[in-house]
Amino acid sequence: MVLAFQMAMENDLVVAEMVEATEFPELSNQYNVSGVPHTAINFGAGEMVGAGPAVHLLGEIRSALKEQE
Amino acid sequence: MDKMLNESIINQLGEMFAEMKRPVKLLFFGSSPENCDYCEQTWQLLEEVAAVSDKVSLEKLDVEEDGDTAKQYKIDKTPAIVICAQESDQLIDYGIRIYGIPAGHEFGTLVHSAVLVSNGESGLEPEVKTYLNDLKKPVNLQVFVTPT
């Protein structure tokens, strides 16, 4: 899980938040979190379900940013 | 209240924190108990963690009473923990936050991120670093977890 945190260290533009899903059910529902870990990218523009290597998360970030263009 | 950390965990923490380069400051944002089921427990946990090493310090803030600081760190939920490195009087915020009590598996995440922030090295592969360093737009990652 520390992957998102590792990424945040590389650029001030990257913010990484770990959210305890059961304490914040509204937010979890907003992003349709059903399994964990579930990473919401830019408030729903993209997502990664489950854990994965850094390149996988980067790919999802890349497409989320493209989506927002 | 009973202690949350047992002796064996405290010893492990001591060994991990001994490796830390820079001091770390954990900013805790809470709110009144009726608005926050886990604030009290989270604060107790942080106090026990900080007691292990003088390299870890704490600051207790309240999202209402310290509204300006909460806004500065963009905190909108409680309990929240911001993990910062400290260089002389300056806090270095890498954008790392934990919302909710870091119990179970996430306790490990809290400890590992404190060490990570202290040492200031992400440990990511060079090509991943390059992509992240070149980013021009904000990226927000919300990682949902459960304390199992």
Side-chain angles (χ1 to χ4, degrees):
Chain A
M1 132 79 236
V2 201
L3 178 59
F5 285 178
Q6 288 170 286
M7 288 187 170
M9 296 198 62
E10 290 296 332
N11 192 321
D12 282 346
L13 288 169
V14 182
V15 170
E17 307 175 314
M18 188 177 91
V19 183
E20 212 288 285
T22 52
E23 282 176 56
F24 303 100
E26 278 176 36
L27 197 60
S28 314
N29 287 337
Q30 191 185 323
Y31 297 115
N32 298 312
V33 175
S34 53
V36 293
H38 178 122
T39 306
I41 304 163
N42 283 359
F43 311 99
E47 63 177 26
M48 181 168 90
V49 179
V55 281
H56 184 179
L57 182 53
L58 265 199
E60 298 297 340
I61 291 173
R62 204 173 278 152
S63 25
L65 288 175
K66 225 170 250 168
E67 194 97 338
Q68 289 178 303
E69 267 171 14
Chain B
M1 235 192 288
D2 285 343
K3 289 270 182 217
M4 296 171 89
L5 302 180
N6 66 35
E7 213 180 299
S8 125
I9 291 178
I10 290 171
N11 289 339
Q12 282 179 48
L13 285 182
E15 280 170 31
M16 290 181 73
F17 290 159
E19 308 286 310
M20 298 202 314
K21 283 189 194 149
R22 300 179 290 183
V24 163
K25 188 162 206 169
L26 306 175
L27 306 180
F28 168 88
F29 289 88
S31 48
S32 50
E34 57 267 29
N35 295 327
C36 187
D37 291 342
Y38 290 93
C39 279
E40 234 173 292
Q41 280 184 62
T42 303
W43 175 250
Q44 191 197 331
L45 181 65
L46 294 183
E47 279 191 310
E48 291 184 29
V49 169
V52 172
S53 167
D54 54 12
K55 286 178 180 162
V56 180
S57 63
L58 299 179
E59 187 168 343
K60 193 179 197 178
L61 298 139
D62 182 284
V63 278
E64 281 107 40
E65 287 164 32
D66 307 293
D68 289 344
T69 315
K71 209 176 264 175
Q72 182 196 332
Y73 287 95
K74 300 193 174 74
I75 302 301
D76 57 359
K77 302 177 279 296
T78 59
I81 305 164
V82 179
I83 303 160
C84 296
Q86 206 166 4
E87 275 181 16
S88 54
D89 282 349
Q90 217 167 354
L91 285 187
I92 300 156
D93 175 19
Y94 290 103
I96 295 176
R97 279 110 179 84
I98 294 175
Y99 291 101
I101 186 165
H105 183 250
E106 307 322 327
F107 181 69
T109 305
L110 167 73
V111 174
H112 284 292
S113 21
V115 175
L116 192 76
V117 162
S118 166
N119 295 338
E121 166 55 51
S122 74
L124 293 166
E125 301 132 64
E127 54 270 37
V128 175
K129 283 186 180 178
T130 307
Y131 178 80
L132 293 167
N133 293 159
D134 291 346
L135 277 175
K136 300 285 183 288
K137 290 176 193 160
V139 171
N140 176 284
L141 302 170
Q142 285 167 295
V143 185
F144 291 87
V145 296
T146 49
T148 41

